[in-house]
Amino acid sequence: MNILLLGSGGREHALAWKLAQSKKTEHLYIAPGNAGTSQTGTNVPVDVTDFDAIKTFVVEKEVDMVVVGPELPLVKGIKNYFKENKVLDNVLVVGPDMQAAQLEGSKSYAKEFMQRHNIPTAPYRKFNEETLEEGYRFLEKLQPPYVLKADGLAAGKGVLILEDLQQAKEELTQMVNGAKFGEAASNVVIESYLKGIELSAFALTDGKDYKILPVAKDYKRIGEGDTGPNTGGMGSVSPVPFATEELMKKIEERIIKPTVEGIKEENLDYTGFIFFGLMIVDNDPYVIEYNCRMGDPEAESIIPRIKSDLVELLAATANGTLRQTTLEIDERYAASVMLVSGGYPGSYEKGKKMEGIEGVNNCILFHAGTARDIDDGSVKTSGGRVMAVTAYGNTMEEALQTAYANVDLIGFEGKYYRKDIGFDLKN
Ligand code: AMP
Ligand code: GLY
């Protein structure tokens, strides 16, 4: 099979690393990719939302399957584009169509879907400019903290959690007026605050059946002890010690199964990864968000634990034969520590030469923001999140220890990482 993978982060390097291992893969192309993905296949300088350029490439290279890494092309309708273009008719697309991708693209669409299918989530209401006064009254009835969510995609920044009622009203006003998050917040979902511990669960679905992938925990804040601003993710571990068999059963019965049944009942065209962002409250799972893709940096710990052939799994996902596949998981733990540029998630410098990459052992490096220097071929930083260092272990501690030993071997000016990944999961 010829495969085109869209995206350029650590998630995509993890997917590319695994796809390249399949005997079924003839050519693997990554658009646009990074310095890491170029070791697993051919990087192609095409933008993930330039559907016409993607079409030209797919036709020219006789691509059989397109795997979509990030949400943006899905929410913008890449699947629909493929369905509508006769020459792309036979190409498999891993990912939902534009409507089904609204499960991630619109918080209120996701909330309404969950209500229709009795999927546990925080109670909520939706407000806009016309119903602003009602929004104030609704906030007055809630207890702090107040959770305000921009309805549309806001690059992972559209959620505000506020302690103060007055401030919550002001933020709501700015959101619906377009002063904050633009069009994405013309509708705002206000929901009850759920106090618990977060967990990321994943499944592959072909719209009828599903396979549950390993769970993971990610660490979003820049600072140790989960402090400071949010980032794209500073590390992850999989599996998660508190995700017992009993909890996993609840997650499957109350959330995963009704979600896939809902997709089927509503005839949604969903063939891809579903990411369930969960809050576990008193050992009961609630959905805080759906995403229509793998998580990043969860993928960097989960993908290495998949033993089965990923090309077979994804092709079956896209062509509706997932039931006939088996999913085998490595029992070991995997832990990923993200190396980031100094200053991130604020402003940071790029183009720093990376040293020590060749000297690592017992780990996998998943590149995120890296690029190869065109003059001397060296690897340089090119983004905020630079590289995930992933290691296996028979225990979580062992996986983390091996990952951190390798983190020390890699150097670049301004290197920063969190030293406490997994801190809240240790006994
Ligand atoms: P989201 O983009 O919906 O995942 O929200 C971003 C973050 O806000 C989540 O990862 C949670 O940490 C937090 N969050 C979202 N919704 C809630 C909620 N209802 N209660 C508590 N925390 C929440
Ligand atoms: N790690 C959270 C996300 O990918 O959205």
Side-chain angles (χ1 to χ4, degrees), residues 218 220 275 291 293 295-298:
D218 79 336
K220 290 200 180 92
F275 172 168
N291 295 306
R293 52 173 174 83
D296 193 347
E298 288 94 332

Side-chain angles (χ1 to χ4, degrees), residues 113-114 117-121 201 210 247-262 274-280 284-290:
F113 177 90
M114 286 185 263
H117 301 286
N118 279 320
I119 295 163
T121 187
Y210 60 85
L247 178 61
M248 290 311 298
K249 202 156 179 57
K250 288 182 188 170
I251 293 171
E252 177 169 12
E253 291 300 322
R254 298 178 190 177
I255 290 167
I256 299 177
K257 200 181 271 179
T259 298
V260 174
E261 276 167 10
I274 314 183
F275 172 168
F276 305 86
L278 305 177
M279 188 70 85
I280 312 301
D284 285 324
Y286 294 81
V287 177
I288 50 178
E289 63 167 351
Y290 286 116

Side-chain angles (χ1 to χ4, degrees), residues 9 52 86 206 216 225 243 317 363 385 418:
D52 289 337
K86 261 261 153 292
D206 59 4
T317 297
C363 74
R385 292 195 300 161
R418 262 180 70 167

